[in-house]
Coordinates of all heavy atoms in Angstrom, one line a residue:
Chain A
G1701 N 88.1 128.2 161.3 CA 87.2 127.8 162.3 C 85.8 127.8 161.8 O 85.5 128.4 160.8
R1702 N 84.9 127.0 162.4 CA 83.5 126.9 161.9 C 82.8 128.2 161.8 O 82.2 128.5 160.8 CB 82.8 125.8 162.7 CG 81.6 125.3 162.0 CD 81.2 123.9 162.5 NE 82.3 122.9 162.2 CZ 82.0 121.6 162.1 NH1 80.8 121.2 162.1 NH2 83.0 120.7 161.8
G1703 N 82.8 128.9 163.0 CA 82.1 130.1 163.1 C 82.5 131.1 162.0 O 81.7 131.7 161.3
A1704 N 83.8 131.3 161.9 CA 84.3 132.3 160.9 C 84.0 131.9 159.5 O 83.6 132.7 158.7 CB 85.8 132.5 161.1
A1705 N 84.0 130.5 159.3 CA 83.7 130.1 158.0 C 82.2 130.4 157.6 O 81.9 130.8 156.5 CB 83.9 128.6 157.9
A1706 N 81.4 130.2 158.6 CA 79.9 130.5 158.4 C 79.8 131.9 158.1 O 79.0 132.4 157.1 CB 79.1 130.1 159.6
L1707 N 80.5 132.8 158.9 CA 80.4 134.3 158.6 C 80.8 134.6 157.2 O 80.2 135.4 156.5 CB 81.4 134.9 159.6 CG 81.1 136.4 159.8 CD1 79.7 136.6 160.6 CD2 82.2 137.0 160.8
A1708 N 81.9 134.0 156.8 CA 82.5 134.2 155.4 C 81.4 133.9 154.4 O 81.2 134.6 153.4 CB 83.8 133.4 155.2
Q1709 N 80.7 132.7 154.6 CA 79.8 132.2 153.7 C 78.6 133.3 153.6 O 78.1 133.6 152.5 CB 79.2 130.9 154.3 CG 78.2 130.2 153.4 CD 78.8 129.7 152.1 OE1 80.0 129.5 152.0 NE2 77.9 129.7 151.0
K1710 N 78.2 133.8 154.8 CA 77.1 134.8 154.8 C 77.5 135.9 154.0 O 76.7 136.5 153.2 CB 76.8 135.2 156.3 CG 75.3 135.0 156.7 CD 75.2 135.3 158.1 CE 74.7 134.1 158.9 NZ 74.8 134.4 160.3
L1711 N 78.8 136.4 154.3 CA 79.2 137.7 153.5 C 79.2 137.5 152.1 O 78.8 138.3 151.3 CB 80.7 138.0 154.0 CG 80.8 138.7 155.3 CD1 82.2 138.9 155.7 CD2 80.2 140.2 155.1
R1712 N 79.6 136.3 151.6 CA 79.6 136.0 150.2 C 78.3 136.0 149.6 O 78.0 136.6 148.5 CB 80.3 134.6 150.0 CG 81.1 134.6 148.7 CD 81.8 133.2 148.5 NE 82.7 133.0 149.6 CZ 82.9 131.7 150.0 NH1 82.3 130.7 149.4 NH2 83.8 131.5 150.9
E1713 N 77.3 135.4 150.4 CA 75.9 135.3 149.9 C 75.4 136.8 149.7 O 74.7 137.2 148.8 CB 75.1 134.5 150.8 CG 75.1 133.1 150.5 CD 74.5 132.3 151.7 OE1 73.9 132.8 152.6 OE2 74.9 131.0 151.7
K1714 N 75.7 137.6 150.7 CA 75.2 139.0 150.8 C 75.7 139.7 149.5 O 75.0 140.4 148.8 CB 75.7 139.7 152.0 CG 74.8 140.7 152.6 CD 75.4 141.4 153.8 CE 74.5 141.4 155.0 NZ 75.2 141.8 156.2
R1715 N 77.0 139.5 149.2 CA 77.7 140.1 148.2 C 77.0 139.7 146.8 O 76.7 140.5 145.9 CB 79.1 139.8 148.1 CG 80.0 141.1 147.9 CD 81.4 140.8 147.9 NE 82.0 140.6 149.2 CZ 82.9 139.8 149.5 NH1 83.5 139.1 148.5 NH2 83.4 139.6 150.8
T1716 N 76.6 138.4 146.7 CA 76.0 137.9 145.5 C 74.6 138.5 145.3 O 74.1 138.8 144.2 CB 76.0 136.4 145.4 OG1 75.8 135.9 146.8 CG2 77.2 135.8 144.8
H1717 N 73.9 138.7 146.5 CA 72.5 139.3 146.5 C 72.6 140.7 146.0 O 71.8 141.1 145.2 CB 72.0 139.2 147.9 CG 71.3 137.9 148.2 ND1 70.4 137.3 147.4 CD2 71.6 137.0 149.2 CE1 70.1 136.1 147.9 NE2 70.8 135.9 149.0
A1718 N 73.6 141.4 146.5 CA 73.7 142.8 146.2 C 74.1 143.0 144.7 O 73.6 143.9 144.1 CB 74.8 143.4 147.1

Side-chain angles (χ1 to χ4, degrees):
Chain A
R1702 199 157 294 213
L1707 198 67
Q1709 183 67 25
K1710 234 178 247 167
L1711 277 173
R1712 209 175 306 147
E1713 275 164 16
K1714 213 182 235 172
R1715 228 176 284 150
T1716 34
H1717 279 304

